[in-house]
Every structure is written in structure tokens, then in C-alpha cells.
Amino acid sequence: MNKNIHNLRVDYRKFKLNEKTLPENPFELFSKWFNQILKSDILEPNAMVLSTSSKNKPSSRVVLLKQFDEEGFTFFTNYESRKGRELAVNKNAVLLFYWMDFERQIRIEGKVKKVPRKESELYFNSRPLESRYGALASEQSKILLDRKFLLNKINKLKIKYGDHPPLPDNWGGLKLVPDYFEFWQGRENRLHDRIVYKKYGKNWKIYRLYP
Ligand SMILES: Cc1cc2nc3c(=O)[nH]c(=O)nc-3n(C[C@H](O)[C@H](O)[C@H](O)COP(=O)(O)O)c2cc1C
């Protein structure tokens, strides 16, 4: 074990969050932050941790944000994966972005729903051919006894479908529709800014949390 971990300490000083200049709508603040991140050279700025749970047992994994609008945040996955199965019994989930270089974290809580089939099809067909075959062949999160088995399966599917693999029934978009955002901006001496947007009916209430 590395004895020096307790000495690892970074002081955050780059940005602030000020209530007086905040937009009323959290999607606006998300867009502002996300656009800043997109302009930077951060790798995979759209990577986010998705947490789900069933039977009071949480699980987390990284997925890629592929679309967002005023309703919610969409990623694509296998509906029969562990996350898919957990979401089928409990729609409540959390997305978490951590952008280290900007000393920022965003937590987004809400309920997840499937996106319309047409939307999934559109996205599926925009993916590179090999990724489409990956989605078609992978029984995501099930036990795979040998990698060769998966590669053989892909080869057989390629013979069958050529350049046009179909969108698998068990694969597509999921959209988290938020009712809670927390924007975290690292500040000096651990006195970070934490601003919450919580939805009541159609309105967002804004408040600050102790760091
Ligand atoms: C950077 C990164 C991006 C990923 N993007 C996705 C994604 O968009 N969709 C997905 O299903 N899995 C993605 N994964 C894989 C997941 O983290 C996870 O291994 C997989 O979805 C199975 O998770 P589950 O068993 O909890 O369902 C990504 C992993 C990493 C590290």
C-alpha cells in the first residue's frame, strides 16, 4: 500500500459559482459547462458514471452521453445488461460527471426511460460497422467463457448481414429525465461551491449546500 496517499492534496482555485449570475434552468448551466469542456482537450468529456440499483444494492459504471435536450440525457446500451435489468425494476438512477481539469462535478438524479425505437435506430446506424456488430453479438454482462466464442459469433453474423446489421431488439437508448442537479465547483481550502436545482412541478428551486 502506498503510504503517501494521505499527502495527496490539490487546492481548487480555478472557478466560482455565484447565485447572482446563475441561470434559472439547470440545463442552461449544464450546457454552459459542457460547452466549455468540449472546447478543452479533455479526453472523453461525455463519459459519465451511471448508478442504478435494485433490491437496495447500488451498482455503477461509465457510459457515454450521446444526446441531451431540455428533457434529459441519453446514452445507449444493452437493455438486458445488468444496468438494463436494474432499471427495468427501478427507474431511479444517477449520472455523475467529473471533470478534473475544471475542478467540477455534476450529479444528476432522475428517472430513466427508453427512447423511441426510431431514435435508437438512427443512432445505431450512425455507428461504425464494427461497433454495430459488437452490439449485435454481445450479450452484455452475461458470462462469456471464451473471447474466441464472441469473435466467432461476430464472424457468423457478418456472413449473414454484410454491411447492414440490424438494430438488435435488446439494444438502444435510455434517457434520464432529471428532477435534481447538483453543480459542484471546487474552491480554495475545501470551501467548495455546491448549487442544487430541484424540480417542484414545472419549476426549479435553486439552493446552496454546505461544502
Ligand atoms: C469510457 C467508457 C465508456 C463506456 N461507454 C459505454 C456506453 O456508452 N454504453 C454501454 O453500454 N457501456 C459503456 N461502457 C461499458 C460500461 O462501463 C459497462 O462495462 C457495461 O455497460 C456493462 O455494465 P453493466 O454490467 O453494469 O450493465 C463504457 C465504459 C467506459 C470505461
Side-chain angles (χ1 to χ4, degrees):
M1 181 132 131
N2 187 328
K3 287 187 191 136
N4 294 322
I5 290 176
H6 64 267
N7 287 328
L8 293 175
R9 194 165 288 118
V10 176
D11 210 20
Y12 307 121
R13 300 184 170 270
K14 289 184 182 165
F15 302 99
K16 300 175 183 172
L17 267 179
N18 182 344
E19 285 89 334
K20 287 185 189 135
T21 57
L22 287 175
E24 279 175 24
N25 185 320
F27 287 97
E28 222 176 290
L29 184 53
F30 179 87
S31 296
K32 187 179 162 195
W33 277 20
F34 196 55
N35 285 331
Q36 287 174 344
I37 310 294
L38 286 179
K39 281 187 203 140
S40 74
D41 53 8
I42 285 181
L43 283 178
E44 302 217 274
N46 55 336
M48 54 188 187
V49 175
L50 164 74
S51 297
T52 54
S53 79
S54 68
K55 296 182 187 146
N56 288 328
K57 209 165 170 278
S59 67
S60 298
R61 77 290 290 155
V62 175
V63 290
L64 295 177
L65 176 68
K66 287 292 172 177
Q67 288 160 20
F68 74 93
D69 56 27
E70 288 281 306
E71 191 192 25
F73 298 84
T74 301
F75 55 93
F76 291 85
T77 195
N78 184 307
Y79 295 141
E80 290 164 6
S81 62
R82 178 170 176 185
K83 72 182 97 45
R85 282 180 277 123
E86 291 186 357
L87 286 166
V89 295
N90 179 7
K91 295 184 185 342
N92 293 294
V94 186
L95 297 174
L96 184 132
F97 291 89
Y98 172 48
W99 296 305
M100 188 171 30
D101 290 359
F102 282 71
E103 301 167 349
R104 285 174 177 168
Q105 168 183 256
I106 309 179
R107 294 158 69 168
I108 306 174
E109 302 177 7
K111 291 194 193 308
V112 173
K113 61 179 189 182
K114 279 188 186 173
V115 308
R117 206 74 197 127
K118 271 262 162 278
E119 236 177 86
S120 294
E121 206 156 45
L122 213 62
Y123 174 68
F124 182 78
N125 289 326
S126 77
R127 301 180 90 209
L129 189 60
E130 294 298 332
S131 309
R132 277 179 273 161
Y133 272 110
L136 189 59
S138 173
E139 298 175 39
Q140 195 177 49
S141 313
K142 291 195 180 139
I143 291 174
L144 172 61
L145 290 176
D146 190 334
R147 188 176 169 84
K148 276 190 225 140
F149 182 79
L150 173 62
L151 300 179
N152 286 338
K153 192 172 170 190
I154 290 177
N155 284 337
K156 281 188 194 144
L157 287 165
K158 279 183 176 167
I159 292 166
K160 187 167 177 195
Y161 294 115
D163 286 344
H164 302 286
L167 170 67
D169 288 340
N170 62 4
W171 196 95
L174 290 171
K175 188 178 206 176
L176 184 137
V177 179
D179 54 24
Y180 181 97
F181 287 71
E182 183 200 314
F183 294 87
W184 184 98
Q185 179 66 65
R187 295 290 305 274
E188 58 284 351
N189 307 320
R190 298 291 183 263
L191 301 180
H192 315 301
D193 289 328
R194 295 177 67 191
I195 298 291
V196 169
Y197 286 76
K198 193 166 179 191
K199 201 167 189 188
Y200 292 94
K202 287 188 172 169
N203 300 317
W204 292 96
K205 195 177 165 204
I206 305 177
Y207 52 90
R208 178 179 282 270
L209 298 177
Y210 278 95

Short mmCIF file of all heavy atoms in Angstrom, two decimals, residues 2 8 86:
data_model
loop_
_atom_site.label_atom_id
_atom_site.label_comp_id
_atom_site.label_asym_id
_atom_site.label_seq_id
_atom_site.Cartn_x
_atom_site.Cartn_y
_atom_site.Cartn_z
N ASN A 2 0.47 2.26 -0.77
CA ASN A 2 1.25 3.50 -0.85
C ASN A 2 0.99 4.37 0.37
O ASN A 2 -0.12 4.84 0.60
CB ASN A 2 0.84 4.24 -2.13
CG ASN A 2 1.72 5.43 -2.38
OD1 ASN A 2 2.19 6.07 -1.43
ND2 ASN A 2 1.94 5.74 -3.63
N LEU A 8 -1.69 13.37 -0.66
CA LEU A 8 -2.16 13.86 -1.96
C LEU A 8 -3.25 14.90 -1.71
O LEU A 8 -4.29 14.58 -1.13
CB LEU A 8 -2.74 12.71 -2.78
CG LEU A 8 -1.76 11.63 -3.26
CD1 LEU A 8 -2.52 10.51 -3.96
CD2 LEU A 8 -0.72 12.24 -4.18
N GLU A 86 -31.53 -3.74 -13.95
CA GLU A 86 -31.82 -2.98 -12.72
C GLU A 86 -32.80 -1.84 -13.01
O GLU A 86 -33.72 -1.59 -12.22
CB GLU A 86 -30.51 -2.44 -12.13
CG GLU A 86 -29.66 -3.58 -11.58
CD GLU A 86 -28.41 -3.16 -10.84
OE1 GLU A 86 -28.12 -1.95 -10.76
OE2 GLU A 86 -27.71 -4.05 -10.34
#
